[in-house]
Amino acid sequence: MRIGQLAELVGVDTQTIRFYERQGLLPSPDRQENGYRVYTEEHSERLAFICRCRILDLSLAEIHELQRYQDDPHQPCAAVNALLDDHISHVRSQITALQALEKQLVSLRASCNDGREVEACGVLAGISEGSMHQQ
Amino acid sequence: MRIGQLAELVGVDTQTIRFYERQGLLPSPDRQENGYRVYTEEHSERLAFICRCRILDLSLAEIHELQRYQDDPHQPCAAVNALLDDHISHVRSQITALQALEKQLVSLRASCNDGREVEACGVLAGISEGSMHQQ
DNA sequence: TTAAAACCATATAGTCACTATAAGGTCAAC
DNA sequence: GTTGACCTTATAGTGACTATATGGTTTTAA
């Protein structure tokens, strides 16, 4: 399988595949005589794993860590679970921060209606005043 | 006021101040004979405005746009409100996406308990399977 | 047969909003 | 006169790609 076919199969850009290879997430495939990369099914599984991790918003470093666990299958899996727990905490604190931000933005927005001049804009006044609450 | 004092006053790094100047968000200040930047109170207000916008997670491009409105105070302010509305939508869709992600992660995490070997880890199996729901 | 298109390769720069580092000039205090 | 704190510029790094430039190869169509 060449890189374009792999890209099509998994639904990734060919550039991204080469990028993952450079980052050490995808093993370097064999090459044809002309230098074209040749991929096996193992590569496509590995790439699909990476993509699913990215959908879960895991960083490339975290994916790398998961791969190291996979390559040593007789370790206890507590570390995998801990990685996921940390990631869940991370996502939750992002949500909390964004919810606080949303509140602040909505209250700022409520301080103006359309049909004013910029000079009298409640939104701009609200930002310009030092009265903003830190999150 | 020199750059270090401005940085102290507003609570920003000196590098960040120079960065904002290069980006065109902060006007180039006058210089002393030795080349040191000299800031006025107008600069500190402008910088504080930028910082408060950044706390609201507005992009530098959006801040630039707001500055253009400020520099032309007799326009209607509907565009300012629209900018904020767009930003609120953006934040809300981030929240929605993260909440969906959290759900997915929590259900993945529930598929494993500690004390297994990596080989039998429910989390890794869950990611490896193609059964993941797209968000 | 040849010429265009589709594919492959590498290397490099751009995105965003900084942050870090290097290498050096200026100034006040001791 | 030298130490330390401050200032200057320029350049590179962050993360995870994405875009562009330039050129080689293969396939397809006229």
Side-chain angles (χ1 to χ4, degrees), chain A residues 52 81 92 102 114 127-128, chain B residues 52 81 92 102 127-128:
Chain A
R52 286 191 288 263
N81 296 336
R92 284 185 175 146
E102 187 202 355
D114 289 1
I127 302 175
S128 296
Chain B
R52 286 191 288 264
N81 295 337
R92 284 186 176 145
E102 188 203 354
I127 303 175
S128 295

Side-chain angles (χ1 to χ4, degrees), chain B residues 58-70:
Chain B
L58 293 166
S59 70
L60 299 192
E62 287 168 327
I63 297 171
H64 211 86
E65 205 178 326
L66 289 181
Q67 289 183 338
R68 280 197 303 274
Y69 295 132
Q70 283 187 311

Side-chain angles (χ1 to χ4, degrees), chain A:
Chain A
M1 197 193 310
R2 291 189 315 193
I3 196 167
Q5 296 168 293
L6 177 62
E8 176 86 3
L9 182 66
V10 181
V12 189
D13 195 284
T14 56
Q15 302 252 61
T16 303
I17 296 174
R18 292 191 200 100
F19 171 73
Y20 288 153
E21 183 183 336
R22 275 200 305 282
Q23 298 304 113
L25 286 170
L26 204 57
S28 296
D30 289 340
R31 302 281 185 133
Q32 289 178 355
E33 285 194 356
N34 56 16
Y36 288 15
R37 289 170 177 81
V38 186
Y39 292 98
T40 66
E41 193 162 339
E42 217 216 292
H43 286 99
S44 83
E45 273 166 34
R46 196 117 171 175
L47 180 58
F49 180 84
I50 296 169
C51 291
R52 286 191 288 263
C53 287
R54 290 296 300 136
I55 289 170
L56 298 176
D57 204 29
L58 292 166
S59 70
L60 299 193
E62 287 168 325
I63 297 170
H64 211 86
E65 205 179 325
L66 289 181
Q67 287 182 340
R68 281 198 301 276
Y69 295 131
Q70 283 186 313
D71 292 344
D72 188 0
H74 291 295
Q75 291 175 78
C77 81
V80 173
N81 296 336
L83 190 155
L84 207 69
D85 285 336
D86 285 352
H87 187 54
I88 291 172
S89 305
H90 177 65
V91 169
R92 284 185 175 146
S93 62
Q94 277 184 281
I95 292 173
T96 305
L98 284 171
Q99 283 170 335
L101 179 60
E102 187 202 355
K103 232 183 213 169
Q104 212 180 344
L105 289 167
V106 166
S107 106
L108 183 63
R109 179 62 180 87
S111 69
C112 194
N113 44 23
D114 289 1
R116 302 190 192 177
E117 287 190 351
V118 159
E119 208 168 26
C121 175
V123 167
L124 282 177
I127 302 175
S128 296
E129 266 171 29
S131 67
M132 268 177 53
H133 310 292
Q134 306 289 106
Q135 57 136 330

